[in-house]
Amino acid sequence: MTGRLMLLDTASLYFRAYFGVPDSVKAPDGTPVNAVRGLLDFIDRLVRDHRPEQLVACMDADWRPQWRVDLIPTYKAHRVAEEHEAGPDEEEVPDTLAPQVPVIEDVLDAIGIARVGVAGYEADDVIGTFTARAKGPVDIVTGDRDLYQLVDDARGIRVLYPLKGVGTLQLTDEAVLREKYGVDGRGYADLALLRGDPSDGLPGVAGIGEKTAAKLLAEFGDVDRIMAALDDPQARLTPSQRKRLDEARPYVAVAPKVVRVAADVPLPDVDTALPHTPRDPAELERLAGRWGLGGSLQRLLTTLAG
């Protein structure tokens, strides 16, 4: 298939649903289902507004892969709720959200929306690999700016960044990135590497903020050329920049692999076509009754059938 592919950064969206929909939205037994219903409403709106031909809910099989932690130990360290010797560390998740995640997975499976997570990788990496393999245009729906690095006008790849729910989205293309950050999609990963990202535990290069990083990238092109310029006395770097970048050589040597999303994840063979009828109607009916999914589910099924 070469039609428009929509990739959902599922955790990013259900976190937004959880905080955007009141926890008074509950199942018949009183269990909160605000994230479940909110996510179904999000998907309904996205499909109605953007009409993808393919849809994949990308999952975090490992939200903090060890191979990234081995390179930069601070990577997402502040989000760890519990460490595990064997297997991924446990992420800090609100008490009433964690039980909703398996429900979300069951509902997506019963509807027939492709759901993909791969052991040892984050959803970002799954998204990066689907994007690399796509034959047609791609819409990436995420509240995570890290994925701006995948934006590519020539290939029709854009990020739909929710500003308010998913009714108000920033359609992020290269013009938006150049206006806001002074870089294109390819340059965004280098910008993030240099300035750092406290939300991901990435230290960045001390003293190099976003504006300085953008100026350096405009001057030299990419991180490799910036670091090569350190060995050129004629290169236009201030003494302070030279000192900061020189001190950061060990970080800059490993950071690209951490910051850049993977494009070579071993994806399972899945049917990514947008489902028009539920894959498992009986199971979906059971889930709808058990969790009180009501109008949220019905609206989505009507949109998918249309």
Side-chain angles (χ1 to χ4, degrees), residues 131-184:
T131 300
R133 294 183 184 181
K135 305 296 185 192
V138 181
D139 282 344
I140 299 163
V141 189
T142 181
D144 184 351
R145 293 184 181 90
D146 293 345
L147 288 166
Y148 285 171
Q149 64 184 273
L150 297 176
V151 169
D152 185 340
D153 287 359
R155 293 188 56 214
I157 299 164
R158 60 186 185 173
V159 167
L160 309 186
Y161 183 86
L163 299 174
K164 187 177 181 183
V166 292
T168 307
L169 294 167
Q170 174 184 283
L171 303 183
T172 310
D173 57 11
E174 290 184 8
V176 170
L177 293 182
R178 281 191 289 269
E179 181 184 347
K180 287 195 166 214
Y181 304 103
V183 296
D184 58 12

Side-chain angles (χ1 to χ4, degrees), residues 106-123:
D106 289 346
V107 172
L108 293 177
D109 290 350
I111 292 171
I113 292 173
R115 186 173 63 81
V116 179
V118 177
Y121 293 97
E122 300 176 56

Side-chain angles (χ1 to χ4, degrees), residues 6 70 84 101 109 145 202 240 265 304:
M6 178 173 281
D70 288 343
H84 295 292
V101 177
D109 290 350
R145 293 184 181 90
L202 295 173
S240 173
V265 174
L304 291 173

Side-chain angles (χ1 to χ4, degrees), residues 1 26 44 49 62 66 76 80 92 146 165 184 226 248 251-252 264 293:
M1 294 180 70
K26 296 181 177 179
D44 172 53
D49 287 355
D62 189 340
Q66 189 61 43
K76 294 187 177 179
V80 176
E92 197 167 13
D146 293 345
D184 58 12
I226 292 170
Y251 163 75
V252 175
D264 57 353
L293 303 181

Side-chain angles (χ1 to χ4, degrees), residues 83-96:
E83 293 185 7
H84 295 292
E85 288 283 336
D89 291 335
E90 203 169 307
E91 185 178 13
E92 197 167 13
V93 176
D95 289 345
T96 55

